[in-house]
């Protein structure tokens, strides 16, 4: 059994910064891909940032240059550093991970989501 738990969301003024964390716990052999998605009010879910096991990254066009994805494999934790936040970044941010468990089966997991609200 593996769980993803996010933290770090909250309310911030435009131009401010937040760092989200996503920690995986359970019977983990390796974390392969890790990504952050978001869904704003009345919008479809969109990819914010993704980091593959080889550490290659890709970002959504609207956040490139402002957000940075990183991970600490020793802590089974991924991070999303968000700078220069804009009101349009307001959304529920969810962590997604592809994890190989201790039986060497590969599964996908989602966190519960964390609210980020950016005030103007």
């Amino acid at each position: 059994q593996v769980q993803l738990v996010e933290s770090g969301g909250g309310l911030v003024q435009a131009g401010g910064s937040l760092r989200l964390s996503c920690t995986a716990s359970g019977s983990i052999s390796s974390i392969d891909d890790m990504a952050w998605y978001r869904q704003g009010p009345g919008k479809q879910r969109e990819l914010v940032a993704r980091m593959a096991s080889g550490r290659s990254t890709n970002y959504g066009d609207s956040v490139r240059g402002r957000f940075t994805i990183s991970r600490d494999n020793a802590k089974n934790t991924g991070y999303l550093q968000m700078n220069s936040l804009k009101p349009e970044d307001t959304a529920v941010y969810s962590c997604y991970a592809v994890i190989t468990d201790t039986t060497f089966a590969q599964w996908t997991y989602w966190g519960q989501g964390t609210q980020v609200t950016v005030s103007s």
Side-chain angles (χ1 to χ4, degrees), residues 15-99:
S17 299
L18 282 175
R19 189 176 81 156
L20 305 183
S21 299
C22 174
T23 299
S25 61
S27 304
I28 299 167
S29 176
S30 66
I31 298 176
D32 305 318
D33 283 11
M34 182 171 272
W36 291 91
Y37 286 78
R38 70 183 183 186
Q39 187 165 18
K43 298 180 181 179
Q44 289 190 327
R45 186 170 61 193
E46 63 174 343
L47 174 69
V48 176
R50 174 180 174 267
M51 176 177 276
S53 58
R55 301 300 181 108
S56 64
T57 58
N58 60 287
Y59 294 89
D61 290 341
S62 62
V63 307
R64 190 174 293 112
R66 299 187 297 122
F67 291 10
T68 303
I69 188 171
S70 62
R71 52 195 283 181
D72 184 338
N73 289 335
K75 296 181 179 180
N76 287 334
T77 299
Y79 304 96
L80 183 68
Q81 178 67 42
M82 305 185 293
N83 298 329
S84 302
L85 282 160
K86 304 175 181 179
E88 51 264 43
D89 294 318
T90 295
V92 175
Y93 285 71
S94 298
C95 176
Y96 165 89
V98 178
I99 293 174

